[in-house]
């Protein structure tokens, strides 16, 4: 019994150390990383590697808020769809309630995602068009060479040769 408690504690410490290493933050002994924004979406935007510098701060803030709205809508729909499907299956006396619950929890987030995307489709399309124009003007700056022979990127044949000698 004591070894399982020790193993659980070691696993928890390992997860906390991994989270701290990924976040480049100090680790407190036996606890989660200490940060005002740990586990919060209200902190500053993530440090993106944007070699093009082509996205404005306003567009970045919009896309981050848009992503949060999509996540919230999909999560809420998943929860409500699963509970609703289970309630209907139970009320109707259908067999395999778990299957109906899984179906409801899987299909309803698609409806939530579609509604959020359709509500902002013009602005997302405009941002995507601006990013494509910048990428087409200077393909070397975005790191996607057509030949793949740029620094740090091997060609397709070289990559396959390394994978399958």
């Amino acid at each position: 019994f004591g070894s399982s408690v020790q193993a659980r504690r070691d696993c928890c410490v390992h997860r906390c150390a991994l989270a701290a290493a990924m976040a480049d933050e100090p680790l407190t002994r036996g606890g989660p990383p200490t940060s005002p924004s740990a586990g919060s979406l209200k902190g500053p935007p993530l440090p993106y590697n944007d070699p093009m510098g082509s996205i404005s701060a306003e567009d970045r803030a919009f896309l981050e808020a848009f992503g949060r709205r999509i996540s919230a809508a999909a999560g809420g729909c998943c929860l409500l769809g699963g509970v609703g499907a289970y309630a209907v299956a139970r009320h109707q006396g259908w067999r395999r309630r778990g299957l109906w619950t899984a179906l409801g929890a899987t299909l309803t987030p698609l409806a939530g995602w579609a509604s959020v995307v359709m509500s902002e489709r013009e602005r997302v399309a405009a941002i995507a068009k601006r990013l494509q124009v910048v990428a087409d003007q200077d393909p070397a700056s975005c790191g996607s060479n057509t030949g793949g022979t740029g620094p740090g990127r091997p060609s397709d044949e070289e990559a396959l040769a390394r994978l399958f000698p």
Side-chain angles (χ1 to χ4, degrees), residues 147 154-163:
S155 68
D156 293 340
E157 292 82 20
E158 291 171 355
L160 286 173
R162 285 184 185 174
L163 288 173

Side-chain angles (χ1 to χ4, degrees), residues 36-159:
S37 64
S40 168
L41 293 176
K42 303 293 184 198
L46 297 173
Y48 291 74
N49 290 334
D50 189 12
M52 294 184 293
S54 60
I55 188 165
S56 68
E58 180 182 315
D59 288 344
R60 184 178 301 252
F62 167 75
L63 290 174
E64 287 179 359
F66 182 64
R68 280 190 221 103
R69 277 196 313 251
I70 287 176
S71 297
C77 287
C78 179
L79 181 67
L80 292 176
V83 169
Y86 179 80
V88 167
R90 186 171 179 201
H91 179 70
Q92 295 293 327
W94 295 339
R95 294 182 182 193
R96 306 186 84 176
R97 292 180 190 142
L99 183 64
W100 288 107
T101 302
L103 182 66
T106 303
L107 293 181
T108 54
L110 295 175
W113 173 83
S115 67
V116 172
V117 169
M118 288 299 162
S119 70
E120 297 289 344
R121 68 179 174 263
E122 292 87 13
R123 186 156 182 199
V124 172
I127 293 171
K129 186 179 276 189
R130 283 196 299 266
L131 288 174
Q132 285 177 346
V133 166
V134 171
D136 289 341
Q137 287 175 353
D138 191 13
S141 68
C142 64
S144 61
N145 295 340
T146 55
T149 58
R153 179 176 168 130
S155 68
D156 293 340
E157 292 82 20
E158 291 171 355

